[in-house]
């Protein structure tokens, strides 16, 4: 890279050759370690609540505590683990990856402190029973003013972190340190732009609730809150999506030497997210703040499908670029010889590919189906909903993040990966646990079991309940869910041991062993090397797999309409 | 001639260019599928399906809605169960009130008759989840969800609250009895 910089604390990475700003490095380690601590906390709660939802075990015998812990699990995981990690990613993409120093490290620390205090405050209010309102906190359910205040502090802190990233990218550009951003950084930029909109929307939802609890205003419109809250809640998932896909691309390059087969197309697919997701939430707010428009949601369809198109493009270009890279290295046998040659024993690769498949097949298809206006009726607020988002944000995003750390953490702290054997096994175990968990929970939801519910056996209400959820199919599904949860939480704990062990007690090593990494991922190649286009398909194996995916999608979609048609009520 | 670069490096040369054969085929398939789903949801199902979601929604003062429900119950009550009134509902408007932690009244309906359900809440949000059939609507205080329902089959249906509404959420039930 450039000549040795003067006037700031830096080092050269002996593996990648990147110039590393030490202040960025510290900030990244703080954010990442905080994220992992929340993951450990949220994972512990996950096991407790999952074992409670299995009626045979019904672990937590106090309903109030069950609801507190469900709320705290949602917040610790979806908001704290994910966002602290993303901030670490933004810091990395905005400085180290570009071999430049942070423009305003103080801004990064300010964001960190606000987010830390805010998240601790939210966790405290939730555990102490001041805020047993779930992380959605729909008014007029009441939490203490402190809860909303801490939520706001956290949201504003996260906004500062996002702005900090944008400041870095803009100054890098102005100072001529970058021209076109690497695709990975571009994905982060897309995530950051989406995050700006969602965090503002979230702040606008929480602020009136805060003022209401302070007594400044006497009413919060619950439907308007839902609208704004989901402007945040749903948009935030698009942030996670963009970050996760950026990581898929990065890991495909690092572990397989993949280069996007058409960089322009990949970037176009990211731009679809920015355009259509935001139009989506803006439109809801502009036309009608009431429930009717959001329920009818005629418009939901076309932006949603435009965004879905973006994801379907990535679903093809990522494996295709891996296939092309492997074929170029000589793994040309048959349709799938390239797949056989992949580094299945490299934890970063395993995590990436499992995340990719589970996100697409389980999370993606279920999400598109539930997002259909009429089909939503047989899914809304049943266990299908958490089943769906655990496939996206846990099997997908969380596992992708884990994969990224298997490479980045050793490089960052210059220590060998702790317990590499555990790391190799971990993604498979986590994926297996999540698979069983998702199938069990999804089936239970399909049979009508509600989400966020302490006791579906209604022991004190038998005259009314009529044993509505006593069927053997429901009990088996929930048992499967509990089994999957136990496996997944075990694998989650293994991850935490490996990650924390690497940071604190891994063997010091300037050239840490991170498994096989393709040199072409980080060393520029000859820009003039022409791309060789074969006559037939470039990635026939991927074409085959992608077509199979589409067929499965069509079958499940058709089946869902069939299920809807079986409802024995005419609903007009 | 376009170039290809690792996703971790700034792209070199001309990185935008026409799509290859693979991408063109896949892109066409994806667009066709997105359109097919759009047509299904907006045109096909509205024309052929019996389960639509074109319900109306009105703003209402929760106190007023509670009064309307009380009047409705007074006019049609036939009994009680667990302190909850039971109503023989004539075809037409049916009032159903969610309150922590019950649905009031319990309803007796006739198979094949059509009812316009007016559903709301006096306090917080609740979920209107009809079991074991499994269809679900959101109940929001200050708004009436008005939906026209016709039971096609006789039987007992539970209404389970599936929106978290407070410490007794898991006790909140209602019932619809459909007789031939
Ligand atoms: C081993 C991993 C995990 C297991 C076994 C697990 C299990 C569960 C269970 C049983 C519920 C309660 C469902 C209900 O009763 O409605 C739940 C809720 C939830 N989980 Fe997880 N979870 C895991 C990891 C995660 C992660 C990593 C995230 C986020 C990144 C996450 C986000 C959520 C959210 C947002 C909720 C909803 C809370 C609410 O309804 O308010 N979970 N999880
Ligand atoms: Cu309720
Ligand atoms: Cu409830």
């Amino acid at each position: 890279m450039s000549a040795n910089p003067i006037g700031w604390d830096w080092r050269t990475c002996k593996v990648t050759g990147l110039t590393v700003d030490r202040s960025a490095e510290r900030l990244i380690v703080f954010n990442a370690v905080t994220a992992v601590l929340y993951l450990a906390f949220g994972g512990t709660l996950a096991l407790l609540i999952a074992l409670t939802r299995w009626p045979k075990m019904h672990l937590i015998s106090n309903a109030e505590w069950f609801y507190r812990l469900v709320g705290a699990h949602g917040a610790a995981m979806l908001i704290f683990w994910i966002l602290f990690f993303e901030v670490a990613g933004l810091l990395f993409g905005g400085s180290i990856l570009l071999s430049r120093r942070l423009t305003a490290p103080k801004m990064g620390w300010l964001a960190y402190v606000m987010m830390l205090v805010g998240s601790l405050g939210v966790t405290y209010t939730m555990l102490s029973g001041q805020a047993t309102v779930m992380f959605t906190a729909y008014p007029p359910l009441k939490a203490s003013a402190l809860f909303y205040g801490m939520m706001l502090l956290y949201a504003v802190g996260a906004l500062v972190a996002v702005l900090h990233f944008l400041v870095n990218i803009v100054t890098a550009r102005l100072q001529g340190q970058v021209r076109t951003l690497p695709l990975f950084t571009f994905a982060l930029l897309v995530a950051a732009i989406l995050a700006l909109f969602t965090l503002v929307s979230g702040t606008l939802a929480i602020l009136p609730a805060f003022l209401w609890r302070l007594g400044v205003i006497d009413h919060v419109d619950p439907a308007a809150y839902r609208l704004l809250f989901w402007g945040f809640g749903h948009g935030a998932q698009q942030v996670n999506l963009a970050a996760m896909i950026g990581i898929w691309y990065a890991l495909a390059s690092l572990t397989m030497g993949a280069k996007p087969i058409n960089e322009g197309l990949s970037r176009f697919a990211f731009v679809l997210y920015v355009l259509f997701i935001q139009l989506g939430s803006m439109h809801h707010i502009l036309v009608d703040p009431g429930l009717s428009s959001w329920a009818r949601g005629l418009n939901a369809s076309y932006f949603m499908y435009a965004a879905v198109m973006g994801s379907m493009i990535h679903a093809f270009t990522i494996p295709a670029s891996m296939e092309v890279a492997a074929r170029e290295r000589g793994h040309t046998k048959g349709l799938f010889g390239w797949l056989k040659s992949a580094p299945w024993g490299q934890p970063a690769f395993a995590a990436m590919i499992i995340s990719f498949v589970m996100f697409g097949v389980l999370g993606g298809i279920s999400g598109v189906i539930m997002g259909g206006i009429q089909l939503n009726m047989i899914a809304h607020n049943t266990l299908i909903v958490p089943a769906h988002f655990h496939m996206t944000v846990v099997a997908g995003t969380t596992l992708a993040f884990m994969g990224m750390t298997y490479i980045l953490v050793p490089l960052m702290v210059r220590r060998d990966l702790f317990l590499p054997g555990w790391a190799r096994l971990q993604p498979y175990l986590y994926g297996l646990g999540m698979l069983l968990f998702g199938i069990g929970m999804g089936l239970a939801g399909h049979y009508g079991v509600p989400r966020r519910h302490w006791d579906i056996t209604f022991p004190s209400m038998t005259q009314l309940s009529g044993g509505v959820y006593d069927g053997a199919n429901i009990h088996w599904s929930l048992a499967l869910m509990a089994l999957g949860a136990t496996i997944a939480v075990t694998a989650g704990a293994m991850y935490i041991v490996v990650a924390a062990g690497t940071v604190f007690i891994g063997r010091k090593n300037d050239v840490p062993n991170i498994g096989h990494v393709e040199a072409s991922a980080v060393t520029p190649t000859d820009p003039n090397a022409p791309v060789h286009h074969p006559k037939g398909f470039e990635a026939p194996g991927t074409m085959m797999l992608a077509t199979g995916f589409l067929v499965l999608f069509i079958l499940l979609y058709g089946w869902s309409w069939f299920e809807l048609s079986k409802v024995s009520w005419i609903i007009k | 001639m376009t170039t290809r670069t690792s996703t971790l490096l700034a792209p070199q040369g001309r990185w935008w260019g026409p799509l290859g054969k693979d991408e063109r085929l896949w892109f066409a398939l994806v667009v066709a599928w997105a359109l097919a789903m759009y047509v299904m949801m907006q045109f096909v199902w509205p024309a052929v399906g019996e389960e639509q979601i074109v319900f109306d929604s009105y703003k209402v003062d929760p106190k007023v809605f509670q009064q309307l429900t009380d009047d409705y119950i007074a006019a049609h009550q036939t009994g009680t169960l667990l302190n909850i009134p039971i109503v023989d509902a004539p075809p037409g408007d049916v009032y159903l009130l969610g309150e922590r932690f019950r649905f009031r009244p319990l309803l007796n309906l006739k198979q094949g008759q059509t009812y316009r359900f007016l559903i709301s809440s006096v306090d917080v949000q609740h979920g209107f989840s009809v079991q074991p059939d499994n269809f679900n609507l959101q109940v929001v205080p200050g708004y009436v969800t008005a939906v026209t329902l016709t039971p096609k089959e006789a039987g007992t249906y539970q209404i389970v609250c599936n929106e978290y509404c407070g410490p007794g959420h898991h006790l909140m039930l209602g019932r619809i009895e459909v007789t031939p």
Side-chain angles (χ1 to χ4, degrees), chain A residues 46 53 73 77 135 389-390 394 398 434 437 451-452 485 488:
Chain A
R53 297 242 37 189
H73 166 75
M77 291 298 213
F135 79 97
F389 67 68
H390 280 80
V394 187
T398 296
M434 270 295 139
F437 177 81
R451 69 183 289 197
R452 300 172 161 175

Side-chain angles (χ1 to χ4, degrees), chain B residues 161 163-165 169:
Chain B
C161 175
E163 180 62 77
Y164 172 75
C165 53
H169 166 54

